[in-house]
């Protein structure tokens, strides 16, 4: 190569090859992995398979089983496989630390891929593509020519107004021999993939936070039995939510921290039978609920048809004062004071 440009080109090519041969640092390799859409697909496949396994495998002891989860898994899958499933945390898939790690990697991967491509998307939105010559315009498949009996400037102005009225964003470029118009609409649609991917991240993060901060309690009740529902208003406190979230995040890693008095009370409310709550509980009673009767209806073939629970809400200070009654059935829970009561299970 004798020309300066050719020499320069060879030099750059050699430098490029040398850079490829250089060993990347762990940090560079990690960010390259986070910028790979192939890695995102792999993560999605792994999460789908793991979630499917988590749905099929028991995540809590079924009603009537008095043993531990270890005994349950050993009895179902044998001593070797059962213990292996327990070691990797398949008995609590959706709260295992590695499951949250997979979700974190997926969110990070989607975010990195999306934001690294955001600059190109914005450039596409802002780009105005004019033709350099009339020949290029004529080569376009859908070109049309119309003769107008007015000046170039007047025609360009009128066409610009018409396109603007039709919802197009119009810009113009004045040349020596021609006036060029560039019109486009729907440019923001290029942001669609970016917004879709970021929405996925927000849904995953929101679902994880909601799972950690949400409240569920399973309560057995017999006919004519009354339970006191604790006032759960303390859960709306940002300080309580922050302490609960941090404690559960640390708990995912298997680290136990000392719980505050309110967190200890919350644990009692979540895990204890509400018929046997401590008398010195530091939370007031929100309301009282009485189960009037429970009905289980079946088809002639013996399949479940409907489960119905008739409940009455009583005054929190007076068991004899009935406020109202409600029939709980499928998709029709009792909703009162922000608490939802669903029919969950039944036993003889």
């Amino acid at each position: 190569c004798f020309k300066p440009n050719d020499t320069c080109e060879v030099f750059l090519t050699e430098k490029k090859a040398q850079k490829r041969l250089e060993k990347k640092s762990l940090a560079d390799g990690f960010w390259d992995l986070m910028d790979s859409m192939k890695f995102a697909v792999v993560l999605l496949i792994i999460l789908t398979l793991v979630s499917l396994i988590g749905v099929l495998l028991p995540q809590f002891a079924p009603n009537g089983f008095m043993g531990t989860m270890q005994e349950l898994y050993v009895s179902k899958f044998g001593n070797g496989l059962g213990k292996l499933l327990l070691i990797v945390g398949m008995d609590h898939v959706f709260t295992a630390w590695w499951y949250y790690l997979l979700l974190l990697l997926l969110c990070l991967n989607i975010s990195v891929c999306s934001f690294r491509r955001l600059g190109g998307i914005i450039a596409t939105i802002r780009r105005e593509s004019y033709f350099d010559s009339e020949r290029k315009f004529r080569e376009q498949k859908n070109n049309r020519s119309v003769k107008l009996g007015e000046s170039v400037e007047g025609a360009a102005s009128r066409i610009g107004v018409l396109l603007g009225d039709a919802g197009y964003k119009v810009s113009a470029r004045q040349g020596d021999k021609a006036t060029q118009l560039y019109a486009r609409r729907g440019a923001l649609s290029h942001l669609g993939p970016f917004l879709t991917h970021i929405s996925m991240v927000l849904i995953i993060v929101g679902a994880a936070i909601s799972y950690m901060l949400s409240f569920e309690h399973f309560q057995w009740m017999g006919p004519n039995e009354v339970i006191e529902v604790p006032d759960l208003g303390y859960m709306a406190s940002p300080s309580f939510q922050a302490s609960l979230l941090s404690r559960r995040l640390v708990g995912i890693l298997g680290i136990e921290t000392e719980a505050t008095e309110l967190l200890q009370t919350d644990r009692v409310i979540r895990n204890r039978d509400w018929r046997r709550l401590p008398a010195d509980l530091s939370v007031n009673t929100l309301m009282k609920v009485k189960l009037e009767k429970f009905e289980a209806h079946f088809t002639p073939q013996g399949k479940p048809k409907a489960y119905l629970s008739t409940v009455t809400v009583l005054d929190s200070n007076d068991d004899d004062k009935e406020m109202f009654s409600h029939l709980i059935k499928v998709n029709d829970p009792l909703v009162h004071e922000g608490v939802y009561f669903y029919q969950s299970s039944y036993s003889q």
Side-chain angles (χ1 to χ4, degrees), residues 110-180:
I110 294 175
S111 300
V112 170
C113 288
S114 299
F115 280 101
R116 283 199 174 179
R117 290 158 178 77
L118 182 59
I121 295 173
I122 294 175
T124 301
I125 293 174
R126 299 176 63 180
R127 184 182 300 129
E128 296 178 356
S129 301
Y130 294 96
F131 293 115
D132 295 334
S133 64
E134 183 180 351
R135 179 181 58 80
K136 289 185 178 180
F137 169 74
R138 299 295 180 190
E139 290 173 352
Q140 298 300 308
K141 201 173 198 178
N142 296 320
N143 78 81
R144 295 290 184 273
S145 296
V146 179
K147 292 184 178 180
L148 300 175
E150 56 183 298
S151 65
V152 173
E153 291 79 8
S157 176
R158 273 212 306 143
I159 294 171
V161 171
L162 289 172
L163 289 171
D165 292 341
Y168 286 86
K169 182 181 177 182
V170 184
S171 53
R173 187 173 71 171
Q174 185 70 44
D176 295 335
K177 297 181 179 180
T179 296
Q180 289 184 308

Side-chain angles (χ1 to χ4, degrees), residues 16 54 58 60 79 88 90 95 104 107 109 116 118 206 217 226 241 249 256 294 303 310 320 324 328:
K16 208 171 188 180
F60 52 85
N79 190 53
V88 297
M90 298 311 293
T95 57
L104 177 63
C107 291
N109 177 256
R116 283 199 174 179
L118 182 59
H217 177 78
V226 178
Q241 292 181 356
L249 284 172
E256 284 293 331
F294 168 74
K303 295 182 178 180
T310 304
D320 295 327
F324 64 92
I328 299 177

